[in-house]
Amino acid sequence: MKAPKYVVKKGGKYWPSNAMKKIANMTDKNIYDKAAKNPVKFWEGVAKEGLTWEKEWDKTYVEKLPYFEWFKGGKLNFCVNCVDRHLEHPKRIAMIWVPEPTGEKPIEITYGELYDKVNKFANVLKENGIKKGDVVSIYLPMVPQALIAMLACTRIGAIHSVVFSAFSADALKARIEDGKAKILITADGYYRRGKPEDLLKKAKKAAHKTTIKKIIVVNRIGKRVHGKKFLDFDTELQIAESYCKPETMNSEDTMFILYTSGTTGKPKGILHDTGGYAIQAYQTCKWNFDLHPGDVMWCTADIGWITGHTYAMYGPLLAGATTLVYEGGPDYPNPGRWWKIIQDHEVNVFYTAPTAIRMFMKEDFKWIKKHNLSSLKILGTVGEPIDQKSWMWYFNKIGGERCPVIDTWWQTETGGTLINVLPGIGPFVPTVSGLSFPGIKHVIVNEKGKEVPKGKPGLLAQKSPFAPGMLHGVHNNHKKYVDTYWKKFKTMYDTSDGAYLQNGLIRITGRTDDVMKVAGHRLSTAEVEDAIHDNRKVGDVAVVPMPNKIKGQVPIAFVVLKHGKGSKKLEKKLKKYVDIKIGPTARPARIFFVEDLPKTRSGKIMRRILKALLIDEEPQGLMTLVNPGSVGKIKEIIKANQ
Ligand code: PRX
């Protein structure tokens, strides 16, 4: 059978076809105006319809800036919304797990089985002293136990803090300490490009001399684990009681902490609540990805990032759909792996980052062509701006010119997508994200918060009432919350992104602060600088992002040594410092040893100048420097080392 065509081309633009309009959960373009008339009422309506509440709220929205509350007085359990309420169809598949080794069979977990495992694991956590409000650290690769552990936390009201498994022991330790986590759930390892990777070693090192009382270990690569502190995930599951009563949670209770990079050396613990986050995840899955019960969604993001939380784990379950989770490397054992997975498991919605698209564009098309991708209905992108060429390639080669490409803009802080085109409404325009989700309003403003003329570039800000999925603070750091998001515009949320309007649709231009996006991963230049500074030979350091064809950006470090000369050996050593403190994801692509960094009179390093030098542009504003002579010398060093 010929695969349905979900888009049509009209007036040089792509729009939803009749086939898409027939199936789409939302096709009414007036929804934007309707929701804008009374956004609070809009969210009240969708929250009543979309979620299962134990008790409805007394007040839908209470704002006392810089904080705001959604569904105040409302009571619900998140796990019940993801699992229990779908038990009318216990045989429906909740998760398809694809292991990396091709000799291992994929595993399908039904909603009935998931219910059983989550209840049991919730009891394991309780047995080990975890109560409502306690923090549980999760340091797991992409294995089914990650979903079970996360859901079990939400069942008993424990706050999960998931840490990306490629982060280092030091990075994990800092997050354990900040959250005062009592239990760490990890694995002995995982498979990456055919090789088992050790995770336990890092986990043990991180947990040493912290608040962690027990380490629960998933056996993935067959390592033996000994010691009083350690429990085996699957053994504990087998002996646990089979029912765990879900904890009644207030809508505003914290559900999870997720650390993200900002402009300082220390990551921030972003706090997300229960009810608001749930409705943002649910509604966006329903309207952006048009998820229907039984649909298969594959979001390729790791659970260590917000995209993994909301769209690889929770959103599809809230919608009663099936989530596909793949353990391993995208091109292992060959560049056809992802496309084979889509074919074998009949994936309907595929959501990935532009960096992955750019990586596959380099490969021979034969790897795609030999697979049947006709199950696809919607393609999504996230994490960084997507250029025209990559958008068209994705649309043509993966979507077969049949599927809309939904470019979703959002952040760790927003919990769920906020700006994109809806597949049942359109238009789908390369490089343009689209409109704010119904019931949400963004404006493009100048530094003073005044709206810039239409089409002019400015700063992206969100207006009240703030989206239900938005962060509810920074863990233990009110000041940071205020300074980062509210200081600039006071009554509007500062996204730190630049944007402009293109024919009425929002086009994102990227971060306006010192945050980098490296292969879609959010990293701060300050964190990398901190790590390099730890070496006693380093006197001064500046890290800036440099454009990269595949990864979008890569970090480049400029180092001034206290004494002596730089060498390849020292460069290697300093890179190791970054591996140890953060993880290889943040490792600088190059380290240049320079005599001096361009600084202003007040001692501020002018990173802008370094950025210009890296892309061979003439740097502006040299007059403000105390040491303008440094610029020419750095230029020479870059040239000589290219
Ligand atoms: O700069 C924006 C970029 O990613 C940042 C947020 O990163 P993180 O918190 O890691 O969350 C990523 C996934 C939600 C934003 O401030 N960004 C995200 N999506 C897009 C984007 N830039 C352009 N287009 C997008 N679709």
Side-chain angles (χ1 to χ4, degrees):
M1 206 181 77
K2 226 174 139 211
K5 205 165 159 61
Y6 293 112
V7 288
V8 283
K9 199 167 183 183
K10 259 193 284 178
K13 278 188 190 154
Y14 298 105
W15 297 90
S17 68
N18 285 336
M20 173 55 84
K21 285 191 189 147
K22 223 190 233 160
I23 56 162
N25 283 322
M26 175 45 66
T27 53
D28 176 12
K29 67 178 189 318
N30 296 320
I31 186 70
Y32 292 102
D33 288 343
K34 282 187 206 161
K37 274 199 186 113
N38 191 341
V40 172
K41 206 153 170 227
F42 166 78
W43 285 109
E44 181 172 298
V46 292
K48 270 187 195 172
E49 196 189 304
L51 298 180
T52 302
W53 297 84
E54 278 176 44
K55 175 189 166 286
E56 265 184 22
W57 48 92
D58 310 313
K59 263 198 140 357
T60 312
Y61 182 70
V62 183
E63 186 178 291
K64 231 173 153 192
L65 288 183
Y67 293 98
F68 46 90
E69 294 175 303
W70 277 96
F71 315 117
K72 199 172 167 68
K75 298 200 185 285
L76 77 168
N77 180 275
F78 188 79
C79 180
V80 166
N81 275 276
C82 286
V83 186
D84 303 33
R85 67 176 177 152
H86 305 308
L87 288 179
E88 276 173 36
H89 306 278
K91 295 256 155 63
R92 190 179 282 156
I93 310 295
M95 173 186 261
I96 302 169
W97 181 63
V98 183
E100 189 191 79
T102 45
E104 263 185 67
K105 274 213 171 87
I107 293 174
E108 291 186 346
I109 302 175
T110 64
Y111 274 96
E113 287 162 346
L114 185 62
Y115 175 79
D116 178 58
K117 288 178 196 295
V118 168
N119 271 274
K120 287 182 173 161
F121 197 69
N123 282 328
V124 173
L125 292 175
K126 273 174 123 177
E127 284 280 307
N128 285 285
I130 299 296
K131 301 181 301 299
K132 178 178 171 177
D134 286 344
V135 176
V136 171
S137 269
I138 299 179
Y139 187 53
L140 281 172
M142 296 298 274
V143 289
Q145 290 88 344
L147 178 65
I148 295 164
M150 288 165 78
L151 281 169
C153 288
T154 69
R155 192 163 191 90
I156 62 171
I159 298 168
H160 61 65
S161 165
V162 179
V163 180
F164 183 36
S165 56
F167 276 163
S168 67
D170 285 13
L172 173 61
K173 193 183 203 78
R175 286 155 176 79
I176 289 173
E177 282 172 341
D178 190 68
K180 298 200 170 48
K182 291 190 174 161
I183 280 199
L184 173 62
I185 305 165
T186 188
D188 55 354
Y190 56 93
Y191 290 95
R192 190 49 48 110
R193 289 182 206 282
K195 280 202 311 253
E197 292 275 338
D198 191 338
L199 195 62
L200 195 62
K201 202 168 142 202
K202 289 195 286 176
K204 277 186 191 167
K205 190 173 166 218
H208 188 61
K209 289 196 175 158
T210 62
T211 40
I212 295 293
K213 301 232 161 30
K214 284 264 152 57
I215 304 180
I216 305 179
V217 185
V218 173
N219 180 346
R220 174 69 190 115
I221 59 168
K223 267 191 163 184
R224 291 231 165 269
V225 181
H226 301 285
K228 266 208 318 244
K229 213 173 178 177
F230 298 95
L231 298 170
D232 176 70
F233 193 104
D234 292 309
T235 313
E236 293 302 312
L237 211 59
Q238 273 166 22
I239 56 175
E241 290 278 335
S242 54
Y243 176 71
C244 173
K245 190 174 175 299
E247 187 78 34
T248 300
M249 302 297 286
N250 292 316
S251 174
E252 280 295 323
D253 282 339
T254 300
M255 187 174 113
F256 66 90
I257 307 178
L258 184 58
Y259 288 85
T260 191
S261 297
T263 48
T264 60
K266 208 171 164 276
K268 303 184 282 270
I270 301 298
L271 295 173
H272 279 289
D273 76 333
T274 311
Y277 171 80
I279 194 58
Q280 190 91 37
Y282 172 80
Q283 203 61 32
T284 52
C285 269
K286 224 174 140 187
W287 286 0
N288 294 344
F289 302 119
D290 196 45
L291 282 190
H292 299 264
D295 275 354
V296 179
M297 172 156 181
W298 182 14
C299 162
T300 63
D302 191 279
I303 46 156
W305 307 92
I306 191 70
T307 314
H309 279 59
T310 310
Y311 298 106
M313 298 284 159
Y314 291 143
L317 296 188
L318 285 166
T322 302
T323 181
L324 186 141
V325 170
Y326 169 54
E327 176 185 34
D331 52 358
Y332 184 84
N334 60 52
R337 186 70 194 266
W338 272 18
W339 323 116
K340 183 168 173 3
I341 292 174
I342 293 179
Q343 169 189 275
D344 290 354
H345 301 283
E346 299 186 19
V347 171
N348 306 114
V349 178
F350 182 62
Y351 190 34
T352 195
T355 185
I357 297 170
R358 291 191 298 263
M359 191 186 96
F360 282 109
M361 281 167 75
K362 282 194 323 188
E363 303 292 347
D364 194 326
F365 182 53
K366 74 170 189 201
W367 294 112
I368 296 162
K369 210 172 137 203
K370 69 181 194 188
H371 297 108
N372 179 355
L373 306 182
S374 63
S375 58
L376 287 173
K377 171 173 77 169
I378 289 170
L379 300 174
T381 73
V382 58
E384 43 171 334
I386 180 163
D387 58 283
Q388 170 105 12
K389 214 166 137 204
S390 308
W391 195 102
M392 287 312 302
W393 183 90
Y394 195 31
F395 178 76
N396 290 329
K397 307 288 186 193
I398 305 303
E401 299 175 42
R402 296 186 306 107
C403 307
V405 173
I406 308 293
D407 174 358
T408 61
W409 175 89
W410 58 299
Q411 306 175 307
T412 305
E413 291 86 344
T414 72
T417 65
L418 286 191
I419 301 176
N420 54 264
V421 169
L422 297 181
I425 297 177
F428 315 113
V429 186
T431 79
V432 170
S433 286
L435 294 175
S436 305
F437 196 83
I440 293 159
K441 188 167 167 65
H442 288 94
V443 282
I444 300 170
V445 296
N446 63 19
E447 284 285 339
K448 291 197 171 112
K450 216 170 148 272
E451 278 190 55
V452 297
K454 278 200 168 61
K456 291 271 175 275
L459 309 167
L460 184 71
Q462 195 190 141
K463 288 186 97 166
S464 164
F466 300 98
M470 293 294 289
L471 79 163
H472 278 54
V474 171
H475 186 57
N476 282 339
N477 208 334
H478 167 76
K479 186 172 180 308
K480 194 141 191 180
Y481 174 67
V482 176
D483 287 354
T484 314
Y485 308 108
W486 304 98
K487 206 169 174 180
K488 197 179 243 162
F489 304 130
K490 307 285 187 290
T491 56
M492 293 190 289
Y493 167 82
D494 177 6
T495 67
S496 295
D497 267 301
Y500 63 88
L501 281 182
Q502 184 174 314
N503 298 327
L505 301 176
I506 299 173
R507 183 176 172 160
I508 308 291
T509 51
R511 298 288 301 196
T512 55
D513 57 5
D514 289 327
V515 166
M516 301 176 281
K517 290 314 291 273
V518 180
H521 296 151
R522 176 165 163 180
L523 298 165
S524 95
T525 54
E527 263 177 87
V528 183
E529 287 170 4
D530 255 23
I532 294 174
H533 235 152
D534 283 352
N535 184 292
R536 61 190 166 76
K537 287 192 180 148
V538 173
D540 216 350
V541 52
V543 170
V544 290
M546 180 167 107
N548 177 278
K549 274 207 177 107
I550 304 293
K551 293 186 171 180
Q553 293 183 325
V554 290
I556 303 288
F558 293 87
V559 167
V560 181
L561 294 174
K562 282 184 191 148
H563 37 74
K565 270 183 144 184
S567 62
K568 278 275 165 219
K569 202 170 146 206
L570 186 58
E571 179 172 355
K572 223 168 146 189
K573 197 166 176 189
L574 296 181
K575 284 181 182 174
K576 195 101 199 141
Y577 270 67
V578 178
D579 288 4
I580 290 170
K581 200 151 185 183
I582 311 171
T585 327
R587 187 189 300 157
R590 278 305 315 264
I591 296 179
F592 294 115
F593 295 100
V594 297
E595 274 175 30
D596 208 1
L597 294 169
K599 283 188 182 167
T600 61
R601 266 173 202 95
S602 58
K604 188 173 174 297
I605 300 173
M606 294 300 278
R607 291 179 178 75
R608 190 167 44 74
I609 291 178
L610 296 171
K611 274 190 205 171
L613 292 177
L614 282 173
I615 52 172
D616 210 13
E617 258 180 16
E618 211 41 60
Q620 304 295 314
L622 299 192
M623 274 120 63
T624 56
L625 299 179
V626 268
N627 54 351
S630 63
V631 177
K633 286 186 191 160
I634 295 175
K635 203 170 171 177
E636 274 169 31
I637 291 174
I638 295 173
K639 270 228 165 87
N641 287 283
Q642 257 162 359

